[in-house]
Amino acid sequence: MKYNSDEHIDDQMIKIEVSLDDMNPEFYGYLMEQLFKFGVNDVYIVQVIMKKNRPGQVLHVLCREEIREKVMDFIFQETTTLGIRYTPYTVHRLEREFIEVETEWGKCTVKIGKRAGKIVQFAPEYEDCMQLAKEHQVPLKWVYDQAKEKGYQWLNEQKLLE
């Protein structure tokens, strides 16, 4: 087991939104990578139709209040936006537990999500599955499916599923 975190509520979060309609989309990967380096919790981009029926994107960033100004400075510097919207956000996080399962290609981490102590989610870690698939030149879906099955078996053996 790698670590365990308790179910909790983060109420000091900020959601930042930026509309982009004139920026080279090739820059999005760099933008997202750098934002994660700042310590933001999540970044995603959604396709939208903007005013005057123009295609565009909305950049969404979830971060802690204490890094908001640093994140906004970076967004103004690295994007073509002239304005940023941000709102306070509350995030309810499930308790998380991580186990390692053995697949025929190697060890893989499986993440377990609990609400009020009850398992409500579990899934193999994508990065582990991807690494094993590349190493052994097998389809990613095979590794993922086997890791999920092994995780399910482990949960049943531990009598953690109802």
Side-chain angles (χ1 to χ4, degrees):
M1 196 173 308
K2 290 188 177 181
Y3 77 84
N4 188 359
S5 68
D6 292 331
E7 183 174 3
H8 64 281
I9 297 195
D10 289 331
D11 57 2
Q12 297 296 312
M13 303 298 289
I14 298 295
K15 183 173 182 190
I16 297 171
E17 294 181 347
V18 178
S19 296
L20 302 168
D21 66 352
D22 59 352
M23 186 170 144
N24 184 340
E26 292 179 324
F27 299 161
Y28 293 159
Y30 171 80
L31 182 68
M32 294 173 78
E33 182 181 296
Q34 295 305 308
L35 287 166
F36 279 121
K37 284 183 180 178
F38 281 129
V40 305
N41 295 73
D42 201 6
V43 179
Y44 59 96
I45 297 172
V46 177
Q47 295 280 31
V48 295
I49 301 297
M50 300 178 67
K51 65 183 174 188
K52 300 181 186 175
N53 296 317
R54 289 191 307 237
Q57 297 78 36
V58 177
L59 170 69
H60 298 264
V61 179
L62 182 65
C63 66
R64 296 176 322 281
E65 169 62 39
E66 61 261 20
I67 66 170
R68 177 177 51 88
E69 285 299 321
K70 183 177 173 182
V71 169
M72 287 175 42
D73 287 346
F74 176 77
I75 290 171
F76 277 127
Q77 180 178 327
E78 291 289 342
T79 72
T80 56
T81 193
L82 295 174
I84 295 175
R85 298 176 295 279
Y86 58 93
T87 54
Y89 231 63
T90 300
V91 178
H92 186 123
R93 299 186 192 280
L94 293 178
E95 175 183 352
R96 295 175 192 180
E97 185 176 334
F98 295 82
I99 61 169
E100 277 191 344
V101 297
E102 188 69 42
T103 71
E104 66 184 272
W105 304 285
K107 290 184 180 184
C108 185
T109 304
V110 175
K111 180 174 23 183
I112 300 169
K114 297 179 181 178
R115 176 155 167 80
K118 181 180 175 191
I119 294 173
V120 295
Q121 305 284 343
F122 78 95
E125 285 290 323
Y126 171 77
E127 294 292 330
D128 288 3
C129 292
M130 181 181 62
Q131 183 63 38
L132 290 172
K134 285 179 178 179
E135 260 177 50
H136 297 278
Q137 297 181 347
V138 296
L140 174 61
K141 64 184 176 181
W142 291 4
V143 177
Y144 186 92
D145 289 347
Q146 190 174 110
K148 188 163 187 172
E149 180 60 31
K150 297 287 186 173
Y152 184 73
Q153 288 172 4
W154 185 89
L155 292 170
N156 271 328
E157 288 166 7
Q158 303 299 313
K159 298 184 184 340
L160 297 173
L161 293 177
E162 292 182 10

